[in-house]
Protein backbone atom coordinates (compact mmCIF):
# COMPACT_ATOMS: atom_id res chain seq x y z
CA UNK A 1 0.00 0.00 0.00
CA UNK A 2 1.17 3.52 -0.57
CA UNK A 3 2.59 5.14 2.50
CA UNK A 4 5.35 7.58 1.76
CA UNK A 5 7.83 7.83 4.63
CA UNK A 6 11.48 8.50 5.26
CA UNK A 7 14.25 5.95 5.74
CA UNK A 8 12.01 4.04 8.12
CA UNK A 9 10.46 2.45 5.03
CA UNK A 10 6.88 2.49 3.87
CA UNK A 11 5.34 -0.66 5.18
CA UNK A 12 5.03 -2.70 2.01
CA UNK A 13 6.04 -6.39 2.26
CA UNK A 14 5.19 -6.04 1.59
CA UNK A 15 5.50 -8.25 1.17
CA UNK A 16 6.99 -12.35 -2.00
CA UNK A 17 8.48 -15.37 -4.07
CA UNK A 18 11.60 -17.56 -4.38
CA UNK A 19 12.65 -21.04 -5.52
CA UNK A 20 15.71 -23.25 -5.45
CA UNK A 21 17.22 -24.29 -8.76
CA UNK A 22 15.15 -26.79 -10.74
CA UNK A 23 15.71 -27.12 -14.47
CA UNK A 24 12.27 -28.37 -15.34
CA UNK A 25 8.91 -27.11 -16.52
CA UNK A 26 7.52 -27.74 -13.07
CA UNK A 27 10.10 -25.48 -11.47
CA UNK A 28 9.25 -22.69 -13.88
CA UNK A 29 5.55 -23.02 -13.17
CA UNK A 30 6.15 -23.02 -9.42
CA UNK A 31 8.39 -19.98 -9.66
CA UNK A 32 5.79 -17.92 -11.45
CA UNK A 33 3.12 -19.00 -8.99
CA UNK A 34 5.38 -18.26 -6.06
CA UNK A 35 6.24 -14.76 -7.17
CA UNK A 36 2.55 -14.06 -7.74
CA UNK A 37 1.80 -15.35 -4.25
CA UNK A 38 4.55 -13.17 -2.79
CA UNK A 39 3.22 -10.09 -4.53
CA UNK A 40 -0.28 -10.94 -3.32
CA UNK A 41 1.06 -10.99 0.22
CA UNK A 42 2.94 -7.74 -0.11
CA UNK A 43 1.37 -4.64 1.34
CA UNK A 44 0.71 -3.19 -2.07
CA UNK A 45 -0.17 0.24 -3.49
CA UNK A 46 -3.51 -1.00 -4.78
CA UNK A 47 -5.27 -4.00 -6.20
CA UNK A 48 -6.17 -4.05 -9.87
CA UNK A 49 -9.73 -5.19 -9.18
CA UNK A 50 -10.47 -2.25 -6.86
CA UNK A 51 -11.92 0.45 -9.11
CA UNK A 52 -11.78 3.13 -6.38
CA UNK A 53 -8.00 2.77 -6.47
CA UNK A 54 -7.68 4.65 -9.74
CA UNK A 55 -6.50 7.68 -7.80
CA UNK A 56 -3.80 5.59 -6.14
CA UNK A 57 -2.65 4.29 -9.53
CA UNK A 58 -2.43 7.82 -10.86
CA UNK A 59 -0.54 8.90 -7.77
CA UNK A 60 1.88 5.98 -8.11
CA UNK A 61 2.63 6.90 -11.72
CA UNK A 62 3.11 10.54 -10.82
CA UNK A 63 5.42 9.60 -7.94
CA UNK A 64 7.42 7.40 -10.29
CA UNK A 65 7.84 10.18 -12.86
CA UNK A 66 8.82 12.73 -10.22
CA UNK A 67 11.24 10.32 -8.52
CA UNK A 68 12.74 9.44 -11.89
CA UNK A 69 13.34 13.08 -12.68
CA UNK A 70 14.99 13.68 -9.31
CA UNK A 71 17.19 10.62 -9.75
CA UNK A 72 18.27 11.60 -13.25
CA UNK A 73 19.26 15.03 -11.91
CA UNK A 74 21.23 13.62 -8.98
CA UNK A 75 22.23 9.99 -9.44
CA UNK A 76 24.74 10.14 -6.57
CA UNK A 77 22.19 11.06 -3.91
CA UNK A 78 21.58 7.90 -1.88
CA UNK A 79 18.13 8.82 -0.59
CA UNK A 80 16.97 9.93 -4.03
CA UNK A 81 18.19 6.60 -5.45
CA UNK A 82 16.34 4.30 -3.07
CA UNK A 83 13.21 6.43 -3.22
CA UNK A 84 13.27 5.98 -6.99
CA UNK A 85 13.65 2.24 -6.44
CA UNK A 86 10.58 2.31 -4.22
CA UNK A 87 8.61 4.36 -6.73
CA UNK A 88 9.53 1.85 -9.46
CA UNK A 89 8.15 -1.01 -7.37
CA UNK A 90 4.88 0.82 -6.73
CA UNK A 91 4.30 1.72 -10.37
CA UNK A 92 5.46 -1.63 -11.78
CA UNK A 93 3.00 -3.29 -9.41
CA UNK A 94 0.10 -1.60 -11.16
CA UNK A 95 0.90 -1.89 -14.85
CA UNK A 96 -0.73 -4.77 -16.71
CA UNK A 97 1.78 -5.19 -19.52
CA UNK A 98 4.74 -7.43 -18.70
CA UNK A 99 7.12 -5.61 -21.01
CA UNK A 100 6.33 -2.33 -19.30
CA UNK A 101 6.57 -3.88 -15.85
CA UNK A 102 9.96 -5.33 -16.75
CA UNK A 103 11.24 -1.98 -18.02
CA UNK A 104 10.13 -0.11 -14.89
CA UNK A 105 11.49 -2.79 -12.57
CA UNK A 106 14.85 -2.75 -14.31
CA UNK A 107 15.10 1.01 -13.80
CA UNK A 108 14.61 0.53 -10.08
CA UNK A 109 17.04 -2.39 -10.00
CA UNK A 110 19.73 -0.34 -11.77
CA UNK A 111 19.28 2.59 -9.39
CA UNK A 112 19.52 0.35 -6.32
CA UNK A 113 22.54 -1.52 -7.67
CA UNK A 114 24.32 1.79 -8.24
CA UNK A 115 23.49 2.83 -4.69
CA UNK A 116 24.73 -0.44 -3.22
CA UNK A 117 27.95 -0.21 -5.21
CA UNK A 118 28.64 3.14 -3.50
CA UNK A 119 27.23 2.15 -0.15
CA UNK A 120 27.12 -1.63 0.47
CA UNK A 121 25.49 -1.03 3.87
CA UNK A 122 22.47 0.83 2.53
CA UNK A 123 19.49 -1.05 3.96
CA UNK A 124 16.96 0.80 1.74
CA UNK A 125 19.10 0.06 -1.32
CA UNK A 126 19.15 -3.68 -0.67
CA UNK A 127 15.48 -3.71 0.32
CA UNK A 128 14.11 -2.04 -2.78
CA UNK A 129 16.49 -4.01 -4.96
CA UNK A 130 14.77 -7.14 -3.65
CA UNK A 131 11.32 -5.63 -4.16
CA UNK A 132 12.05 -4.61 -7.75
CA UNK A 133 13.59 -8.02 -8.43
CA UNK A 134 10.25 -9.46 -7.41
CA UNK A 135 8.52 -7.41 -10.08
CA UNK A 136 11.08 -8.51 -12.64
CA UNK A 137 10.73 -12.17 -11.70
CA UNK A 138 7.01 -11.93 -12.33
CA UNK A 139 7.75 -11.32 -16.01
CA UNK A 140 10.23 -14.18 -16.41
CA UNK A 141 10.25 -17.95 -16.87
CA UNK A 142 13.74 -19.33 -17.42
CA UNK A 143 15.47 -16.56 -15.47
CA UNK A 144 13.05 -16.44 -12.54
CA UNK A 145 14.81 -19.03 -10.38
CA UNK A 146 18.04 -17.07 -10.19
CA UNK A 147 16.16 -13.85 -9.49
CA UNK A 148 14.20 -15.44 -6.67
CA UNK A 149 17.38 -16.61 -4.97
CA UNK A 150 18.83 -13.12 -5.20
CA UNK A 151 15.69 -11.72 -3.59
CA UNK A 152 16.16 -14.00 -0.63
CA UNK A 153 19.80 -12.95 -0.24
CA UNK A 154 18.92 -9.27 -0.40
CA UNK A 155 16.20 -9.53 2.25
CA UNK A 156 18.63 -11.39 4.51
CA UNK A 157 21.16 -8.62 3.99
CA UNK A 158 18.63 -5.97 4.95
CA UNK A 159 17.70 -7.96 8.05
CA UNK A 160 21.35 -7.94 9.12
CA UNK A 161 21.72 -4.21 8.41
CA UNK A 162 18.44 -2.94 9.85
CA UNK A 163 15.90 -5.54 10.95
CA UNK A 164 13.31 -2.87 11.75
CA UNK A 165 13.38 -1.26 8.32
CA UNK A 166 9.91 -0.88 6.80
CA UNK A 167 8.18 -2.10 9.95
CA UNK A 168 10.28 -5.29 10.13
CA UNK A 169 9.98 -5.68 6.36
CA UNK A 170 12.96 -8.06 5.99
CA UNK A 171 11.52 -10.68 8.33
CA UNK A 172 7.99 -10.16 7.02
CA UNK A 173 9.11 -10.74 3.44
CA UNK A 174 11.30 -13.71 4.31
CA UNK A 175 8.42 -15.21 6.26
CA UNK A 176 6.08 -14.87 3.30
CA UNK A 177 8.77 -16.32 1.07
CA UNK A 178 9.16 -19.46 3.12
CA UNK A 179 5.40 -19.68 3.63
CA UNK A 180 4.52 -19.62 -0.07
CA UNK A 181 7.46 -21.51 -1.57
CA UNK A 182 7.25 -25.28 -2.13
CA UNK A 183 9.44 -27.26 0.23
CA UNK A 184 12.67 -29.12 -0.45
CA UNK A 185 13.78 -30.42 -2.93
CA UNK A 186 11.60 -28.29 -5.20
CA UNK A 187 12.33 -25.07 -3.40
CA UNK A 188 13.20 -23.32 -0.14
CA UNK A 189 9.76 -23.39 1.43
CA UNK A 190 9.88 -24.09 5.14
CA UNK A 191 7.14 -23.94 7.75
CA UNK A 192 9.64 -23.53 10.56
CA UNK A 193 11.46 -20.69 8.79
CA UNK A 194 8.18 -19.02 7.87
CA UNK A 195 7.05 -19.18 11.49
CA UNK A 196 10.37 -17.83 12.76
CA UNK A 197 10.38 -14.80 10.49
CA UNK A 198 6.67 -13.93 10.67
CA UNK A 199 6.70 -14.13 14.46
CA UNK A 200 9.91 -12.10 14.53
CA UNK A 201 8.28 -9.39 12.40
CA UNK A 202 5.48 -9.12 14.97
CA UNK A 203 8.04 -8.91 17.78
CA UNK A 204 9.92 -6.10 16.03
CA UNK A 205 6.90 -4.10 14.87
CA UNK A 206 3.88 -5.33 16.86
CA UNK A 207 1.68 -2.34 16.03
CA UNK A 208 1.94 -2.66 12.27
CA UNK A 209 -1.24 -4.33 10.92
CA UNK A 210 0.44 -6.12 8.02
CA UNK A 211 2.68 -8.11 10.37
CA UNK A 212 -0.22 -9.28 12.51
CA UNK A 213 -2.37 -10.20 9.53
CA UNK A 214 0.40 -12.16 7.82
CA UNK A 215 1.05 -14.19 10.97
CA UNK A 216 -2.62 -14.86 11.57
CA UNK A 217 -3.11 -15.93 7.94
CA UNK A 218 -0.16 -18.31 8.33
CA UNK A 219 -1.66 -19.88 11.45
CA UNK A 220 -4.93 -20.36 9.58
CA UNK A 221 -3.12 -21.93 6.63
CA UNK A 222 -1.40 -24.38 8.98
CA UNK A 223 -4.66 -25.17 10.80
CA UNK A 224 -3.26 -24.09 14.17
CA UNK A 225 -6.49 -23.41 16.02
CA UNK A 226 -4.94 -22.56 19.39
CA UNK A 227 -2.57 -20.01 17.88
CA UNK A 228 -5.41 -18.50 15.85
CA UNK A 229 -7.53 -18.13 18.97
CA UNK A 230 -4.58 -16.67 20.86
CA UNK A 231 -3.88 -13.86 18.40
CA UNK A 232 -7.35 -13.23 16.95
CA UNK A 233 -8.60 -10.79 19.59
CA UNK A 234 -5.19 -9.11 19.84
CA UNK A 235 -5.24 -8.46 16.11
CA UNK A 236 -8.78 -7.13 16.21
CA UNK A 237 -7.87 -4.68 18.98
CA UNK A 238 -4.72 -3.64 17.11
CA UNK A 239 -6.65 -2.84 13.94
CA UNK A 240 -8.94 -0.53 15.90
CA UNK A 241 -5.97 1.34 17.40
CA UNK A 242 -3.97 1.37 14.18
CA UNK A 243 -6.61 3.38 12.34
CA UNK A 244 -5.47 6.41 14.28
CA UNK A 245 -1.75 5.83 13.77
CA UNK A 246 -1.89 4.84 10.10
CA UNK A 247 -4.37 7.47 9.01
CA UNK A 248 -4.76 9.75 6.03
CA UNK A 249 -4.76 9.50 2.27
CA UNK A 250 -1.39 7.76 2.05
CA UNK A 251 -2.74 4.81 4.04
CA UNK A 252 -6.20 4.65 2.46
CA UNK A 253 -5.40 1.81 0.07
CA UNK A 254 -3.62 -0.13 2.80
CA UNK A 255 -6.83 -0.12 4.80
CA UNK A 256 -8.80 -1.35 1.81
CA UNK A 257 -6.50 -4.36 1.70
CA UNK A 258 -6.31 -4.89 5.45
CA UNK A 259 -10.08 -4.63 5.92
CA UNK A 260 -10.70 -7.05 3.07
CA UNK A 261 -8.30 -9.59 4.55
CA UNK A 262 -9.70 -9.14 8.05
CA UNK A 263 -13.20 -9.93 6.77
CA UNK A 264 -11.90 -13.15 5.23
CA UNK A 265 -10.23 -14.04 8.51
CA UNK A 266 -13.45 -13.41 10.42
CA UNK A 267 -15.36 -15.63 8.00
CA UNK A 268 -12.86 -18.45 8.46
CA UNK A 269 -12.79 -18.18 12.25
CA UNK A 270 -16.46 -17.63 13.03
CA UNK A 271 -16.93 -21.33 13.79
CA UNK A 272 -14.01 -21.66 16.16
CA UNK A 273 -14.85 -22.66 19.70
CA UNK A 274 -13.95 -20.08 22.31
Amino acid sequence: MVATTNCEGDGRIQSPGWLAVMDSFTSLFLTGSLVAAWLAGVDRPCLAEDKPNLASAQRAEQNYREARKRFQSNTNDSEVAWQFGRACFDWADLVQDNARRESIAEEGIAACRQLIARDPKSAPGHYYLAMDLGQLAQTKTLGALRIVQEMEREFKTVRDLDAKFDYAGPDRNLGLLYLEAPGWPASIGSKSNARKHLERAVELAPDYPENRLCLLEAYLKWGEKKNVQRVLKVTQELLARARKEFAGETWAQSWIDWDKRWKKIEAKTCGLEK
Side-chain angles (χ1 to χ4, degrees), residues 81-176:
W82 73 255
Q83 287 181 349
F84 178 49
R86 181 180 65 187
C88 287
F89 172 83
D90 288 345
W91 182 224
D93 199 39
L94 302 179
V95 300
Q96 300 300 310
D97 178 71
N98 268 349
R100 195 176 182 192
R101 176 180 289 113
E102 178 180 5
S103 176
I104 296 168
E106 286 181 339
E107 286 187 86
I109 290 168
C112 290
R113 290 200 193 282
Q114 289 177 34
L115 168 57
I116 293 169
R118 295 194 308 272
D119 182 6
K121 293 185 178 181
S122 170
H126 287 284
Y127 189 77
Y128 290 107
L129 171 58
M131 299 294 276
D132 285 325
L133 284 168
Q135 293 292 353
L136 180 62
Q138 194 180 16
T139 70
K140 301 295 183 181
T141 52
L142 289 174
L145 297 176
R146 177 185 54 79
I147 296 172
V148 157
Q149 290 178 314
E150 186 176 3
M151 292 169 64
E152 180 191 14
R153 291 195 302 270
E154 291 301 322
F155 282 130
K156 286 183 175 180
T157 298
V158 183
R159 182 194 58 189
D160 293 338
L161 290 169
D162 184 359
K164 292 186 177 182
F165 183 79
D166 196 20
Y167 303 96
D171 278 297
R172 183 174 61 250
N173 279 301
L174 284 168
L176 290 173

Side-chain angles (χ1 to χ4, degrees), residues 6-7 35-36 46 98 145 154 162 207 209 262:
N6 55 23
C7 290
V35 172
C46 80
N98 268 349
L145 297 176
E154 291 301 322
D162 184 359
D207 296 329
W262 178 246

Side-chain angles (χ1 to χ4, degrees), residues 17 103 220 227 233 243 268:
S103 176
L220 282 168
N227 277 331
K233 185 176 181 181
R243 289 186 185 278
K268 290 179 179 179

Side-chain angles (χ1 to χ4, degrees), residues 19-22 178 181-191:
L19 287 173
V21 176
M22 283 183 63
Y178 297 125
W184 188 90
S187 184
I188 58 175
S190 167
K191 181 177 176 179

